[in-house]
Amino acid sequence: AQKVIQVWSTASRQEGEELTLDCSYETSQVLYHLFWYKHLLSGEMVFLIRQMSSSTAKERSGRYSVVFQKSLKSISLVISALQPDDSGKYFCALWELPNTGGLSGKLTFGEGTQVTVIS
Amino acid sequence: DPKIIQKPKYLVAVTGSEKILICEQYLGHNAMYWYRQSAKKPLEFMFSYSYQKLMDNQTASSRFQPQSSKKNHLDLQITALKPDDSATYFCASSQEILGSSYEQYFGPGTRLTVL
């Protein structure tokens, strides 16, 4: 079963609008982190923002912010004031504290949402 | 300057051969990773190393062997290549501490095609 689900495979908006990308996840761990990445056409995978399960702060980084609904196991990435350069594929990823208590660093990715910003 | 270097960018191999994918990071991170992205699938975690020691291996096949000759290097050796191994392989690194995880930075990937 998929642990990280991004329901929408594609999304498009006009330049200047706001876009919300949804992600749901499954975990039994108390401590976990959620990350959003953007995959560029060049192949580069760029980190956007991190949400820790223990944090109640509304994370924000420039035009990126998240809506974290922990009880629903849901996290959304909000991109404001869309620009053409925001086009790309956006991935949600989950890091869980390993049961062994050791280190792993494993990220579990969703399938991504392809975003098109129309000028 | 690129912070994570992967070589080569593209690689074509024949079935049964062996290849090594190179990864070097210049971010001063203590942990490095390999992920694979096959066609129409999400990125899939393969290995993680911290201070040149294996942390986690989620690869079922022993044909995939990571090699860490230096702290900032984590190469991936693939033997007895099969067409199903065709994928883009991403190297990543992060500063890992026990009990938490910082963001991972990814290299540009090596696209491997096995004929």
Side-chain angles (χ1 to χ4, degrees), chain B residues 18-88:
Chain B
E18 172 183 312
K19 292 294 179 187
I20 295 180
L21 311 184
I22 306 292
C23 178
E24 305 168 15
Q25 58 95 359
Y26 296 94
L27 293 163
H29 289 158
N30 63 359
M32 295 184 71
Y33 315 86
W34 279 101
Y35 290 83
R36 172 170 60 187
Q37 186 172 35
S38 305
K40 300 191 177 178
K41 286 187 180 178
L43 268 84
E44 179 187 19
F45 173 86
M46 299 178 73
F47 298 98
S48 58
Y49 266 63
S50 179
Y51 294 109
Q52 295 184 266
K53 287 189 169 25
L54 181 69
M55 289 197 291
D56 195 359
N57 176 359
Q58 302 256 327
T59 304
S61 173
S62 61
R63 296 186 300 107
F64 296 86
Q65 290 292 331
Q67 300 170 341
S68 181
S69 59
K70 295 182 194 177
K71 189 173 72 170
N72 67 328
H73 281 231
L74 186 64
D75 300 335
L76 180 64
Q77 180 187 40
I78 314 174
T79 58
L81 278 161
K82 302 177 180 180
D84 276 354
D85 297 330
S86 298
T88 300

Side-chain angles (χ1 to χ4, degrees), chain A residues 43-61:
Chain A
E44 192 182 355
M45 186 77 84
V46 177
F47 163 74
L48 299 177
I49 199 165
R50 177 180 76 159
Q51 174 70 51
M52 296 179 0
S53 61
S54 56
S55 171
T56 56
K58 187 174 168 64
E59 299 297 335
R60 176 177 291 276
S61 176

